[in-house]
Amino acid sequence: ESQLNPNYNFENFLEGDSNRLARSAGMAVANKPGGTSFNPLLIFGGVGLGKTHLAHAIGVQIKDKYPAKTVLYISAEKFTQQYIESVKKNNRNDFIHFYQVIDVLIVDDIQLLSGKAGTQDVFFHIFNHLHQNGKQVILTSDKAPVDMQDIEQRLLSRFKWGLSAELQHPSFETRIAIIKQKLYQDGVEMPEEIVEFLANNIKTNVRELEGAIISLIAHSSFNKKEITLDLAKKIVDNYVKHTKREVSIDYIQKIVSDYFQMDVETLQSKTRKRHIVQARQLAMFFAKKLTKASLASIGSQIGQRDHATVLHACKTVDNLASTDKQFRKYVEDLGKKLSV
Ligand code: ADP
Ligand code: MG
């Protein structure tokens, strides 16, 4: 029994800047277990960022490609329990032997070995045996080896032998892609503005993002109500209670370009076409109004402009809004869409 979850695979582990290194290294290991310099492969990162998913995906792909190899996924917690049990029952050696004949060992949340000297010791011996025999070890942890506490030095140094790859917070675009995949899997449709709202507000934890989608779907189906932005706002408040909702410059650019039916690249482009220039100026205006970013930072994020351009944009929007009725409507509509 490999304990692998086939629902966690590479196909549904979406790639983004935040996970590219870890994902690619995982793929390399999956295609040649024990045969790369990524041994051990240590995947680290915060809660809900995909460590367990990626660890399973590697195992699943190895099983697929090399059915004869024995792959075992285990959490460090369960490993510890098994070890303690084996000591009680006086079969510590059987325990060690069981692990030493595995081809690919995946241990999830290795930071949980912290402070457990006996388990660390036994893991050290298992690790050495596997490594010497060209077997693959894959570990995950919620922190980088340098930040791990109460783990023996000799073990920490082993962790650093291979590759440590970090899973970072996914970007706005990646969060959108993850939400859409989830909706697709569940056969649910959701208006684009709600997808963007969710992606903009739940940033630091993919599991919470998925949780919000699930509760949104449940609320709407049990109450036979449509999924509205108001409902989404209520649900999101349960996830991000203590942090005030805040819009990002990415989000502003996306909302403004959607509103004018252009893509973000067009909005950022060097063109002097009037309606594009206006859209860009509106994005700068709202970035100034709704974020804490400096003029220089806003400019560099909206098509590599300088701070003077952003300042000019803000003044232009103020002027036009007070003299041009149509333009005032743009400002009002966008203000509503971006309201937090
Ligand atoms: P961790 O182990 O780091 O706490 P998990 O692996 O349990 O996180 O991931 C939390 C949830 O987020 C899972 O349902 C997982 O499928 C999903 N997830 C995380 N990253 C991605 C990604 N890049 N693509 C698709 N789903 C992801
Ligand atoms: Mg996990």
Side-chain angles (χ1 to χ4, degrees):
E1 262 301 351
S2 68
Q3 309 292 332
L4 290 168
N5 179 351
N7 296 323
Y8 283 156
N9 50 53
F10 274 113
E11 286 70 52
N12 61 17
F13 190 77
L14 295 177
E15 182 174 341
D17 290 343
S18 56
N19 62 37
R20 189 161 291 116
L21 171 69
R23 193 177 185 280
S24 314
M27 285 256 195
V29 162
N31 290 327
K32 238 179 148 199
T36 69
S37 47
F38 310 150
N39 199 10
L41 173 63
L42 181 109
I43 300 158
F44 70 96
V47 179
L49 293 182
K51 300 181 295 293
T52 296
H53 185 142
L54 183 55
H56 278 281
I58 299 168
V60 167
Q61 179 142 325
I62 294 175
K63 262 318 233 186
D64 205 43
K65 216 174 150 145
Y66 305 96
K69 283 199 191 291
T70 48
V71 179
L72 182 71
Y73 166 90
I74 189 156
S75 66
E77 194 182 5
K78 201 160 163 205
F79 180 87
T80 306
Q81 286 166 2
Q82 283 182 2
Y83 168 69
I84 293 170
E85 198 65 16
S86 81
V87 173
K88 271 193 204 145
K89 290 191 176 145
N90 232 333
N91 52 16
R92 184 177 185 268
N93 287 340
D94 294 346
F95 173 85
I96 295 178
H97 179 74
F98 173 83
Y99 279 95
Q100 284 181 337
V101 295
I102 286 168
D103 294 313
V104 178
L105 177 62
I106 304 169
V107 186
D108 204 359
D109 288 321
I110 198 83
Q111 79 279 355
L112 295 176
L113 296 190
S114 154
K116 299 179 175 123
T119 316
Q120 286 180 34
D121 183 60
V122 84
F123 183 71
F124 178 77
H125 292 292
I126 292 168
F127 179 94
N128 284 342
H129 186 92
L130 294 176
H131 198 272
Q132 275 157 20
N133 288 285
K135 305 301 172 66
Q136 180 69 46
V137 179
I138 297 148
L139 307 169
T140 78
S141 165
D142 70 354
K143 39 181 106 49
V146 283
D147 297 322
M148 287 187 207
Q149 311 239 313
D150 296 315
I151 304 250
E152 279 181 65
Q153 207 48 51
R154 56 178 189 167
L155 206 48
L156 280 183
S157 99
R158 296 295 182 280
F159 292 171
K160 297 178 198 155
W161 276 359
L163 177 74
S164 299
E166 183 174 9
L167 288 177
Q168 294 167 326
H169 293 164
S171 67
F172 179 63
E173 296 303 325
T174 306
R175 296 198 297 275
I176 296 238
I178 291 174
I179 295 172
K180 288 191 171 165
Q181 165 173 275
K182 182 83 190 140
L183 293 173
Y184 178 79
Q185 280 173 354
D186 294 353
V188 174
E189 299 207 4
M190 200 181 274
E192 186 73 20
E193 65 171 350
I194 297 181
V195 171
E196 287 169 9
F197 175 79
L198 292 174
N200 185 51
N201 283 286
I202 304 183
K203 300 173 180 168
T204 54
N205 186 326
V206 180
R207 192 178 298 129
E208 287 189 348
L209 194 54
E210 291 183 343
I213 298 166
I214 291 165
S215 65
L216 199 48
I217 294 171
H219 272 81
S220 94
S221 77
F222 295 148
N223 299 325
K224 302 205 164 39
K225 278 193 201 142
E226 269 186 70
I227 298 180
T228 59
L229 195 54
D230 268 346
L231 182 59
K233 284 184 181 172
K234 279 194 196 113
I235 303 254
V236 163
D237 280 338
N238 294 332
Y239 286 85
V240 282
K241 248 198 191 89
H242 306 295
T243 53
K244 191 181 167 321
R245 287 202 297 265
E246 185 192 287
V247 293
S248 68
I249 295 178
D250 276 350
Y251 182 64
I252 293 170
Q253 295 187 75
K254 188 86 171 68
I255 294 293
V256 174
S257 359
D258 284 355
Y259 182 76
F260 290 110
Q261 293 173 4
M262 59 181 72
D263 42 50
V264 175
E265 290 74 42
T266 309
L267 179 136
Q268 294 181 340
S269 69
K270 301 279 178 228
T271 176
R272 291 174 190 276
K273 284 197 187 117
R274 203 173 112 89
H275 72 290
I276 300 174
V277 172
Q278 286 194 342
R280 188 160 59 233
Q281 290 178 329
L282 280 159
M284 290 174 173
F285 169 82
F286 280 108
K288 181 70 197 122
K289 191 168 169 195
L290 301 175
T291 75
K292 294 187 199 78
S294 66
L295 294 172
S297 156
I298 293 170
S300 80
Q301 291 180 68
I302 305 184
Q304 298 294 334
R305 303 315 205 275
D306 62 14
H307 81 283
T309 308
V310 180
L311 194 58
H312 176 71
C314 295
K315 284 185 186 151
T316 307
V317 170
D318 272 335
N319 284 336
L320 282 175
S322 56
T323 55
D324 178 335
K325 208 166 152 218
Q326 176 63 54
F327 195 85
R328 182 154 61 241
K329 179 154 175 8
Y330 294 159
V331 176
E332 283 167 7
D333 286 352
L334 286 167
K336 275 189 206 129
K337 284 184 186 294
L338 290 165
S339 79
V340 289

